[in-house]
Amino acid sequence: MSLDALDLRVALPEEGRRRVVIEHVTPDLDNGRYPIKRTPGEVVRVEADIFSDGHDVVAAVLRYRRVASASRPPWLEVAMEPLGNDRWSASFTVDEIGRYEYDIEGWVDHFASWHHALARWVKAGENVTSELLEGALLVRAAAVRATAADDQRSLVSTAALLSSDQPLEERAAAGLSADLVTLMGRAAERRAATRCTTRRVLVERERARFSSWYEMFPRSAGGHPTRSATFREAASRLPEIATMGFDVLYLPPIHPIGRTNRKGRDNTLVAEENDPGSPWAIGGVEGGHTAIEPGLGTIEDFSWFRQQAEQRGLEIALDLAYQVSPDHPYASRHPEWFRRRPDGTLKYAENPPKKYQDIYPFDFESDAWPAMWIELRDVVLFWVGHGVRIFRVDNPHTKTFRFWEWLIADVQSRNQDVIFLAEAFTRPKVMRHLAKIGFTQSYTYFTWRNTKAEIEEYFTELTQTDMQDYFRPNLFTNTPDILHRFLQSGGLPAFRIRLVLAATLGASYGIYSSFELGENRPAGPGSEEYLHSEKYQFRQWPLDSPHHIKDLIAQVNAIRRTQPALQYNHGLRFHLTTHEDLIAYSKIGPGGASRILMVVSLSPDGAREGRVCLSLPDQLIPEHETYTVHDLLSHRVYTWSGPWNFVRLDPELPAHIFAVHRSAAAVDMADESTLPTATAIDDSPER
Amino acid sequence: MSLDALDLRVALPEEGRRRVVIEHVTPDLDNGRYPIKRTPGEVVRVEADIFSDGHDVVAAVLRYRRVASASRPPWLEVAMEPLGNDRWSASFTVDEIGRYEYDIEGWVDHFASWHHALARWVKAGENVTSELLEGALLVRAAAVRATAADDQRSLVSTAALLSSDQPLEERAAAGLSADLVTLMGRAAERRAATRCTTRRVLVERERARFSSWYEMFPRSAGGHPTRSATFREAASRLPEIATMGFDVLYLPPIHPIGRTNRKGRDNTLVAEENDPGSPWAIGGVEGGHTAIEPGLGTIEDFSWFRQQAEQRGLEIALDLAYQVSPDHPYASRHPEWFRRRPDGTLKYAENPPKKYQDIYPFDFESDAWPAMWIELRDVVLFWVGHGVRIFRVDNPHTKTFRFWEWLIADVQSRNQDVIFLAEAFTRPKVMRHLAKIGFTQSYTYFTWRNTKAEIEEYFTELTQTDMQDYFRPNLFTNTPDILHRFLQSGGLPAFRIRLVLAATLGASYGIYSSFELGENRPAGPGSEEYLHSEKYQFRQWPLDSPHHIKDLIAQVNAIRRTQPALQYNHGLRFHLTTHEDLIAYSKIGPGGASRILMVVSLSPDGAREGRVCLSLPDQLIPEHETYTVHDLLSHRVYTWSGPWNFVRLDPELPAHIFAVHRSAAAVDMADESTLPTATAIDDSPER
């Protein structure tokens, strides 16, 4: 057989001496395809399987940096530590809003390998003359690489000592010294190092993570049954909303509403003269997505309203509903952006057997997609130019994923404060994908999760799987489209239960106005729609009625502001209880800053009592110590001991929000005593 | 604010209309970085999350093809079927040895979307005139794409009918017809389709999956205490090994053994005159890795021996031990391939406090690595040129991963039949990685898994995780280095137990010679080494002793050959038993071809009895039917009913290998009656 040394059927790799393998990096979304998400101050804990062939010692660093669009600053490095079984870990904190990237570099550490072997030879009583000379070579080579003159000097003199004729014990001690390890670490040789795929982190402002939303139709704020309230009138609602403790005020579309095929009250096909139509049927002769519905006022009125809200700590969120009424300027100027019927007319939205004649969807398969994308992006930039930083995106799952990924990246590259909430009530994988491609927050199935088993399963998925790295749930108790059966029949207690669950299970949550009033009448039996839905008419809300839960809302929102544990989604753990209607869960803030235990009765009918098992190791409480739980709602303090303790809840106040303290002596109630007390709660069982 | 329509901070994607997302493809190893493994006739079942925005119907195909080094034939396609929750699946069978690749293509199916909507409009009693005209456009466009003239004609005439003035019912029926669906499927438009990363399949010959190994030192086969047996003498062992039913005969290194620092008997540092040394200390004045140890004969003698073995159905596996003795030609000719000590001498292997002065390891960090790699690859090609197709690789984890990945790919690109078994008894992730980069089979921790819990946990990991796609375990009961404590004290029953476990838990297994004789004396208390290890001396085995389990081995190997279930690793399931010492597991062959239930007593001391729970749905047996279990070892047939049934096993025959039949009437014992019967089993409890 003729052996030709150059006969390669498979090419040699560029660097065959690369020995370290880096695998199974976490967190990771699709091999680095999508960024994970954080807010400033949060930690990114990275793990990976890292190993080499043979018995040499491996070293690895986590490398990270904040990247701007043009610049790539030098990497910062953190040494990775082995966790056992070839799993390694290191963490870094993201300090600033923007985009970070990270990877891992691993290499065979020849000095550490030598050091390890030397220690074992010394321990075995072997003659280490040859080993010390080898070490001298390593140390001398490091001296050449060292950047600091001091380091160079120390390394040169250590190398001389190692290869000197001093007693072996003295030389071995120099080789094994901690100082030398430090010096050699600074001058480590990383020949043929391995790097993993670069991963990215999207760091958004704190409100991306922690927010309390209030949704209202400004047009209903004037109390007129036949005309829109103006922004000037709607501002009268701001003080109360601020007092309830919300920080985001979300307005459904504020643009001109189409006349053609306008829907009437209760979703009828023909509108009466004074019916305002659905604000989601955007666009009229007055303009489209960058215009203001004349009934609300002018762009200046909007800006004034926005400033009024901001003065009360309320940030405006606008609705981004990409669809047009037949009267929208786009329909006539850019018919190429829409589908056509065979007769040449534009095609309205439909989902057989339903028809939505007041709306044309955009055609994302249009040949003119680039111009359309840019125009729709410019709508966002218009409102950003008018001070808006939060957008609640209507039905994002009916537009293409690529469009959103591009739009969000483009807008955030201009203004990193812009937040997008995905209103996608659709299939699980579609919802997750929208979050992966960049949506800051996401609507959830929370509204339909009402039993203990449903809640525990869903929130375990949201907070214990890799969803925690990219999917930020925003738990709405209700929306203009969703009045869940649970709320229809449970009176104010049902509203209290759902309020506390939303506000404590999620770092972000929201209510749609009238929730605080216990509005619970459905459009019909079995319907989740509201009776006389505000989507199609002006509503007059009984704002002065004593029937409400405003105080509880204010109290819960105040607790959220003082308790870091409630401002994050991670750290959620469910606890056993002895009653099916009693759900218990705890949250621990970053670094154990606050430890909060929620116990909620899921039944609006009558009292529930039972025992709650607080897994003590989770709570960092020694097993045989008593501890106190301080109810931040009722201001009662209980002394508990052991894992199982008794609770009783009734519909008047169907929840405990306990601050858990290691012992009574350790309680610092200073911050808690400033919380408002629930008062004047009217608890008529049914409206 | 000035809005410039061309102001892009983030570039538009090349094709913004690509709507379908393909995620979480399985099987997959590191996003397509490594191939999965199969043998001809095996199925690759591919799954993925596939979805689009909106409500349109999605279609997807699995694409696959066999690739040669130069050619890329056209893709073959299989339609993927939805499994629910946006998960899709399709399968293909690999027919030939070689390399395959697969990916997924998904797109929005506009015709199917139209068809779906039409059906719903018709059902709702709506006028579908406009829809039919839309359909006519779709069908007419498809006619242009269709390749077959018949299809074109049919599509053109259907389009004409859809847009005709025939009655609506007739036209709608044409639009909804199954024929049209078929025609449109053949001419499907895949505009802006999405493709996932290409994944690869390495298809190896059947023996890669199913093999029975016998390891022996040919030098001990002559019965001389002071000289090596020759290959001509060693051939006398072949008939018995073949009769026991093995199909791979693995020989430790057959090359010249170094003289310098040769190890003596029982691993002593100084060899006596007639001590042969460890065959792993490769290389002497007679040559290195491509030479034959003179005591065994010549290269011609080896070839003769190999042919003799093959005539008895035994394929030779050679040992690939990449290290050299101080006398190896490489040591003098290529000192640059080894590490040096400061005094200029080559550095022997060490693992403090152990020293291996008879061996120099290769330095895979040598600057001369390319020449060294090619030389080591050529060693393999040399033996391939001499008819060897199986290599058992000694300590692959002490050479670089990149080296093996390249070597295996290069060798297999020349001869696809070559099999590499990784002898890496090291950390779990290193063992897995060696399998990922191309090793055909892998040694395992089986030897150290002896209790029911240990076995169940380990084999669940091997067969139920993604390891099943790339890690083919080869279960050795013992090796020249490993005589487990379990075998040291249990007499022949312990050997029977481990034999049956190895041969039925794994599709590939092996024994090291003397296992059949129950050799169980350790080098010392607590040692796993053999007394008078064959690694360092010639052994004379009591081949004619009545103390053996040869018949059981023959019987078990025969059962393996007739039962497809035992020839695969997948399809393994453990079953409950009522006794800690009774382990039960079943295997189902491909397509349910054979159903085998093993019940093994893990105790060599005394009888064990209890009940075994056969999960009936797994076994495809109706719940209220009796069924038969036919013990292929004892030839007894039992009628069982319900899940729980009684078993009793004793050390004479501590295992059942049951063929499970749905009912007595259905038993076809033809193939089973030809199996050999266990006879002449000598069961003295201790040697």
Side-chain angles (χ1 to χ4, degrees):
Chain A
M1 193 176 85
S2 134
L3 292 177
D4 177 2
L6 296 175
D7 177 18
L8 297 179
R9 294 282 178 94
V10 174
L12 293 174
E14 198 179 329
E15 176 50 90
R17 291 167 294 189
R18 196 163 284 150
R19 293 172 56 192
V20 170
V21 174
I22 303 174
E23 290 186 333
H24 299 135
V25 178
T26 58
D28 170 62
L29 301 180
D30 297 31
N31 204 36
R33 169 69 178 81
Y34 305 101
I36 62 162
K37 293 174 185 156
R38 292 291 188 275
T39 53
E42 282 193 282
V43 168
V44 180
R45 179 189 156 92
V46 178
E47 288 190 12
D49 294 345
I50 305 177
F51 51 86
S52 169
D53 62 276
H55 306 289
D56 285 334
V57 177
V58 165
V61 290
L62 169 63
R63 311 190 317 154
Y64 68 98
R65 61 185 172 188
R66 183 169 181 278
V67 292
S69 55
S71 74
R72 286 277 184 283
W75 291 100
L76 301 170
E77 293 187 346
V78 194
M80 296 194 76
E81 300 294 336
L83 303 173
N85 192 22
D86 291 321
R87 191 84 183 150
W88 294 62
S89 173
S91 300
F92 66 98
T93 301
V94 291
D95 295 319
E96 289 181 75
I97 291 167
R99 289 178 183 258
Y100 283 69
E101 57 187 28
Y102 61 96
D103 70 11
I104 293 169
E105 184 167 285
W107 64 93
V108 171
D109 186 336
H110 292 106
F111 174 75
S113 303
W114 172 85
H115 185 276
H116 180 73
L118 179 65
R120 295 177 73 166
W121 290 129
V122 167
K123 192 175 168 198
E126 296 278 344
N127 181 308
V128 293
T129 306
S130 180
E131 281 69 25
L132 290 169
L133 293 174
E134 272 185 52
L137 291 171
L138 288 171
V139 173
R140 207 163 285 132
V144 175
R145 287 191 303 271
T147 46
D150 276 0
D151 284 11
Q152 286 178 359
R153 267 191 300 277
S154 299
L155 290 166
V156 166
S157 79
T158 304
L161 173 58
L162 292 176
S163 55
S164 71
D165 52 6
Q166 295 295 310
L168 276 180
E169 293 70 25
E170 188 184 326
R171 292 154 61 196
L176 295 173
S177 77
D179 282 357
L180 183 58
V181 171
T182 306
L183 283 167
M184 291 297 287
R186 280 208 289 268
E189 184 184 25
R190 300 188 189 174
R191 207 172 69 147
T194 302
R195 283 189 197 149
C196 71
T197 307
T198 302
R199 269 81 176 175
R200 292 171 295 142
V201 191
L202 175 60
V203 182
E204 295 167 292
R205 61 188 169 116
E206 186 189 33
R207 187 149 289 158
R209 187 194 76 237
F210 170 52
S211 56
S212 312
W213 293 48
Y214 186 84
E215 172 177 3
M216 66 170 278
F217 284 65
R219 71 186 184 185
S220 286
H224 301 280
T226 56
R227 76 153 177 89
S228 174
T230 65
F231 277 126
R232 303 261 163 192
E233 291 168 322
S236 65
R237 289 291 323 276
L238 297 174
E240 186 179 66
I241 298 166
T243 301
M244 280 191 282
F246 292 101
D247 50 31
V248 177
L249 177 59
Y250 152 48
L251 310 179
I254 56 174
H255 316 302
I257 296 167
R259 285 262 158 208
T260 305
N261 295 327
R262 175 179 284 190
K263 293 284 176 72
R265 293 169 164 243
D266 292 307
N267 200 16
T268 49
L269 284 181
V270 182
E272 303 284 327
E273 175 62 23
N274 290 321
D275 287 350
S278 163
W280 283 276
I282 295 172
V285 289
E286 307 88 349
H289 283 74
T290 54
I292 299 281
E293 158 68 26
L296 290 167
T298 64
I299 190 78
E300 290 73 27
D301 293 332
F302 168 74
S303 292
W304 175 87
F305 179 80
R306 179 180 63 73
Q307 285 158 9
Q308 292 294 308
E310 281 171 13
Q311 282 168 19
R312 289 176 172 79
L314 287 165
E315 188 173 351
I316 296 294
L318 284 194
D319 200 307
L320 213 57
Y322 281 149
Q323 57 206 12
V324 304
S325 92
D327 306 322
H328 195 292
Y330 290 158
S332 47
R333 284 185 218 156
H334 292 290
E336 73 277 13
W337 293 352
F338 304 92
R339 289 183 197 276
R340 285 173 191 270
R341 294 157 63 92
D343 65 4
T345 58
L346 301 191
K347 199 169 175 183
Y348 49 75
E350 53 188 35
N351 187 14
K354 289 192 207 157
K355 301 180 179 181
Y356 307 91
Q357 289 101 329
D358 58 340
I359 287 171
Y360 298 151
F362 285 95
D363 176 14
F364 281 83
E365 294 187 343
S366 163
D367 289 338
W369 66 269
M372 186 178 85
W373 283 25
I374 290 169
E375 171 66 20
L376 297 180
R377 189 271 324 262
D378 287 347
V379 167
V380 179
L381 296 185
F382 175 87
W383 292 108
V384 170
H386 284 81
V388 178
R389 297 287 179 273
I390 307 183
F391 297 90
R392 175 273 198 191
V393 179
D394 190 68
N395 282 327
H397 58 295
T398 60
K399 291 88 193 174
T400 60
F401 298 110
R402 297 185 150 230
F403 166 67
W404 291 120
E405 186 173 21
W406 167 79
L407 181 143
I408 293 169
D410 188 277
V411 170
Q412 289 186 339
S413 75
R414 297 159 195 272
N415 191 317
Q416 297 176 329
D417 284 343
V418 181
I419 286 172
F420 294 89
L421 164 63
E423 186 246 10
F425 290 115
T426 180
R427 306 190 310 283
K429 288 170 185 171
V430 174
M431 288 172 67
R432 283 185 217 154
H433 197 70
L434 289 163
K436 272 193 196 176
I437 62 174
F439 277 93
T440 318
Q441 299 184 349
S442 305
Y443 277 60
T444 70
Y445 302 134
F446 168 70
T447 324
W448 299 280
R449 299 293 181 272
N450 287 276
T451 68
K452 183 155 89 168
E454 286 167 355
I455 293 169
E456 289 185 353
E457 183 187 357
Y458 188 50
F459 283 88
T460 298
E461 180 192 347
L462 290 177
T463 62
Q464 313 294 320
T465 68
D466 73 350
M467 286 180 78
Q468 68 182 298
D469 284 316
Y470 65 90
F471 188 99
R472 295 200 191 95
N474 189 332
L475 315 183
F476 268 76
T477 56
N478 62 327
T479 78
D481 297 311
I482 311 168
L483 171 67
H484 190 274
R485 188 164 33 88
F486 185 84
L487 295 175
Q488 295 176 23
S489 60
L492 283 187
F495 286 75
R496 291 188 192 108
I497 291 166
R498 297 299 293 177
L499 182 275
V500 172
L501 289 173
T504 59
L505 282 166
S508 287
Y509 87 107
I511 68 171
Y512 156 57
S513 65
S514 81
F515 181 87
E516 71 272 29
L517 304 174
E519 170 64 42
N520 67 356
R521 292 166 298 170
S527 171
E528 279 190 350
E529 291 275 338
Y530 278 95
L531 181 66
H532 307 319
S533 169
E534 206 171 0
K535 288 189 287 184
Y536 309 108
Q537 68 186 77
F538 306 114
R539 286 292 299 266
Q540 298 161 279
W541 295 112
L543 299 175
D544 298 326
S545 159
H547 182 86
H548 66 78
I549 61 165
K550 295 173 191 172
D551 302 308
L552 179 65
I553 293 171
Q555 204 185 4
V556 168
N557 278 332
I559 294 169
R560 282 166 51 86
R561 282 179 200 241
T562 56
Q563 298 297 328
L566 299 177
Q567 299 169 11
Y568 294 82
N569 289 308
H570 54 69
L572 175 69
R573 292 289 180 280
F574 290 97
H575 302 276
L576 294 174
T577 74
T578 54
H579 198 296
E580 198 185 350
D581 287 343
L582 291 175
I583 189 167
Y585 49 96
S586 64
K587 281 187 155 185
I588 301 187
S594 71
R595 289 173 289 168
I596 303 291
L597 171 68
M598 271 62 65
V599 189
V600 184
S601 165
L602 299 176
S603 168
D605 310 314
R608 293 292 183 275
E609 61 182 50
R611 286 177 182 273
V612 171
C613 179
L614 194 57
S615 329
L616 295 177
D618 287 0
Q619 297 290 326
L620 310 172
I621 292 171
E623 211 170 324
H624 302 292
E625 239 177 53
T626 62
Y627 53 101
T628 56
V629 294
H630 173 194
D631 189 345
L632 305 177
L633 289 174
S634 70
H635 299 290
R636 292 206 182 96
V637 177
Y638 306 88
T639 300
W640 282 9
S641 68
W644 288 97
N645 290 279
F646 178 82
V647 291
R648 183 178 197 280
L649 291 164
D650 65 41
E652 287 291 320
L653 188 53
H656 290 302
I657 302 180
F658 286 128
V660 182
H661 298 283
R662 193 162 155 182
S663 74
V667 180
D668 174 6
M669 295 184 185
D671 59 344
E672 291 152 8
S673 63
T674 62
L675 296 175
T677 306
T679 52
I681 291 173
D682 179 351
D683 187 25
S684 36
E686 198 74 33
R687 304 184 53 143
Chain B
M1 192 176 81
S2 134
L3 292 179
D4 177 2
L6 296 175
D7 176 19
L8 297 180
R9 294 282 180 94
V10 174
L12 293 174
E14 197 180 329
E15 176 49 272
R17 291 167 294 188
R18 196 163 284 150
R19 293 172 56 191
V20 169
V21 174
I22 303 175
E23 289 185 334
H24 299 136
V25 177
T26 58
D28 170 62
L29 301 180
D30 297 28
N31 205 36
R33 169 69 180 80
Y34 305 101
I36 62 163
K37 292 174 185 153
R38 292 292 188 274
T39 53
E42 283 194 282
V43 168
V44 179
R45 180 189 156 94
V46 178
E47 288 191 11
D49 294 345
I50 305 176
F51 51 85
S52 169
D53 63 275
H55 306 289
D56 285 334
V57 177
V58 165
V61 290
L62 168 63
R63 310 191 317 155
Y64 69 99
R65 61 186 172 188
R66 183 169 180 277
V67 292
S69 54
S71 74
R72 287 274 184 286
W75 291 99
L76 300 170
E77 293 188 346
V78 195
M80 295 194 76
E81 301 293 336
L83 302 173
N85 192 22
D86 291 322
R87 191 84 183 149
W88 294 62
S89 173
S91 300
F92 66 98
T93 301
V94 290
D95 294 320
E96 288 180 74
I97 291 168
R99 288 179 183 257
Y100 283 68
E101 58 185 30
Y102 61 95
D103 69 11
I104 293 169
E105 183 167 286
W107 63 93
V108 171
D109 186 337
H110 291 105
F111 174 74
S113 303
W114 171 84
H115 184 275
H116 180 74
L118 179 66
R120 295 178 74 166
W121 289 130
V122 167
K123 191 176 167 197
E126 295 278 343
N127 182 310
V128 292
T129 305
S130 180
E131 282 69 23
L132 290 169
L133 292 174
E134 272 185 51
L137 291 171
L138 289 171
V139 174
R140 207 163 284 131
V144 176
R145 288 190 304 271
T147 46
D150 275 1
D151 284 11
Q152 286 180 358
R153 266 192 301 277
S154 297
L155 290 166
V156 167
S157 79
T158 304
L161 173 58
L162 291 175
S163 56
S164 71
D165 53 6
Q166 294 296 311
L168 275 181
E169 293 71 23
E170 187 184 328
R171 291 155 60 196
L176 295 173
S177 77
D179 282 356
L180 183 58
V181 170
T182 306
L183 283 167
M184 291 298 286
R186 281 207 289 268
E189 183 183 25
R190 298 189 189 174
R191 206 171 70 149
T194 302
R195 282 188 199 150
C196 71
T197 307
T198 302
R199 269 82 174 174
R200 291 171 296 143
V201 191
L202 176 59
V203 183
E204 294 166 291
R205 61 187 169 119
E206 187 189 33
R207 187 148 290 156
R209 187 194 76 236
F210 171 52
S211 56
S212 312
W213 292 49
Y214 186 83
E215 172 177 4
M216 65 170 278
F217 285 64
R219 70 186 185 185
S220 287
H224 300 280
T226 56
R227 77 155 176 88
S228 174
T230 64
F231 277 127
R232 302 265 162 188
E233 290 169 323
S236 65
R237 291 289 325 274
L238 297 173
E240 187 181 65
I241 298 165
T243 301
M244 281 191 283
F246 292 101
D247 49 32
V248 177
L249 177 59
Y250 152 47
L251 311 179
I254 56 175
H255 316 302
I257 297 167
R259 283 263 160 208
T260 304
N261 295 327
R262 175 180 285 189
K263 292 284 175 72
R265 294 169 163 244
D266 293 307
N267 200 17
T268 49
L269 285 179
V270 181
E272 303 285 325
E273 174 61 24
N274 290 318
D275 286 351
S278 162
W280 283 276
I282 295 171
V285 290
E286 307 88 348
H289 283 74
T290 53
I292 298 281
E293 158 69 23
L296 290 167
T298 63
I299 188 80
E300 290 72 27
D301 293 332
F302 168 74
S303 292
W304 176 86
F305 180 80
R306 178 180 63 72
Q307 286 159 9
Q308 292 293 309
E310 281 172 12
Q311 283 168 18
R312 289 177 170 79
L314 287 165
E315 189 173 350
I316 298 294
L318 283 194
D319 199 306
L320 214 56
Y322 281 150
Q323 57 206 10
V324 305
S325 93
D327 308 321
H328 195 293
Y330 291 158
S332 47
R333 283 185 218 153
H334 293 289
E336 74 277 13
W337 294 352
F338 305 91
R339 290 183 196 275
R340 284 173 192 273
R341 294 157 64 89
D343 65 4
T345 58
L346 300 191
K347 200 168 176 184
Y348 48 75
E350 53 187 35
N351 186 14
K354 288 191 209 161
K355 301 179 178 182
Y356 307 90
Q357 288 101 328
D358 57 340
I359 286 170
Y360 298 153
F362 286 96
D363 176 13
F364 281 84
E365 293 187 342
S366 164
D367 289 338
W369 66 269
M372 186 178 84
W373 283 26
I374 290 169
E375 171 67 20
L376 297 180
R377 188 270 325 260
D378 287 347
V379 167
V380 179
L381 296 184
F382 175 87
W383 293 108
V384 170
H386 284 81
V388 178
R389 297 289 178 274
I390 307 184
F391 297 90
R392 175 271 196 194
V393 179
D394 190 69
N395 282 327
H397 58 294
T398 60
K399 292 88 195 174
T400 59
F401 299 111
R402 296 185 152 232
F403 166 68
W404 291 120
E405 186 173 21
W406 168 78
L407 181 143
I408 294 170
D410 188 277
V411 170
Q412 289 187 338
S413 75
R414 296 158 197 273
N415 190 319
Q416 296 175 331
D417 284 342
V418 181
I419 286 172
F420 294 89
L421 164 63
E423 186 247 11
F425 291 115
T426 180
R427 308 190 308 284
K429 287 169 186 171
V430 174
M431 288 172 66
R432 282 185 216 153
H433 196 69
L434 289 164
K436 271 192 196 175
I437 62 174
F439 278 93
T440 318
Q441 298 184 351
S442 305
Y443 276 60
T444 71
Y445 301 134
F446 168 70
T447 324
W448 300 279
R449 298 293 181 272
N450 287 277
T451 68
K452 182 155 92 169
E454 287 168 354
I455 293 169
E456 289 184 354
E457 183 187 357
Y458 188 48
F459 284 88
T460 297
E461 179 192 348
L462 290 177
T463 62
Q464 314 292 319
T465 68
D466 72 352
M467 287 181 79
Q468 68 181 298
D469 284 316
Y470 65 90
F471 188 99
R472 294 200 192 96
N474 189 333
L475 315 182
F476 268 76
T477 55
N478 63 327
T479 77
D481 298 310
I482 311 169
L483 171 67
H484 190 274
R485 187 165 33 87
F486 184 84
L487 294 175
Q488 294 176 22
S489 61
L492 284 187
F495 286 76
R496 291 189 192 108
I497 290 166
R498 297 299 294 177
L499 183 274
V500 171
L501 288 173
T504 58
L505 281 166
S508 287
Y509 88 108
I511 67 172
Y512 156 57
S513 66
S514 79
F515 182 87
E516 71 272 29
L517 304 174
E519 170 63 43
N520 67 356
R521 291 167 299 170
S527 171
E528 279 190 351
E529 291 276 338
Y530 278 94
L531 181 66
H532 308 320
S533 169
E534 204 171 2
K535 288 188 287 184
Y536 309 107
Q537 68 185 78
F538 305 116
R539 285 293 299 266
Q540 299 161 279
W541 296 113
L543 299 175
D544 298 328
S545 158
H547 182 86
H548 66 79
I549 61 164
K550 296 171 191 173
D551 302 306
L552 180 64
I553 293 171
Q555 204 186 3
V556 167
N557 279 332
I559 293 169
R560 282 165 52 86
R561 284 179 201 240
T562 55
Q563 298 296 328
L566 298 178
Q567 300 169 10
Y568 294 82
N569 289 308
H570 56 68
L572 175 69
R573 292 289 179 281
F574 290 97
H575 302 277
L576 294 175
T577 74
T578 54
H579 198 297
E580 198 184 348
D581 287 342
L582 291 175
I583 189 168
Y585 48 97
S586 63
K587 281 186 154 184
I588 301 186
S594 71
R595 288 174 288 168
I596 304 289
L597 171 69
M598 271 62 65
V599 189
V600 184
S601 165
L602 299 176
S603 168
D605 310 315
R608 293 291 184 276
E609 60 182 50
R611 286 177 183 274
V612 170
C613 179
L614 194 57
S615 328
L616 296 177
D618 287 359
Q619 296 291 326
L620 311 172
I621 292 171
E623 210 170 324
H624 301 293
E625 239 174 54
T626 61
Y627 52 101
T628 56
V629 294
H630 173 194
D631 189 345
L632 305 177
L633 289 174
S634 71
H635 299 290
R636 293 204 182 98
V637 178
Y638 306 87
T639 300
W640 282 9
S641 67
W644 288 96
N645 290 279
F646 178 81
V647 291
R648 182 177 197 281
L649 291 164
D650 64 42
E652 288 291 320
L653 188 54
H656 290 302
I657 302 180
F658 286 129
V660 182
H661 298 283
R662 193 162 156 182
S663 73
V667 180
D668 174 6
M669 295 184 185
D671 59 344
E672 290 152 11
S673 61
T674 61
L675 297 173
T677 306
T679 52
I681 293 171
D682 179 353
D683 187 26
S684 36
E686 200 74 34
R687 316 181 41 150

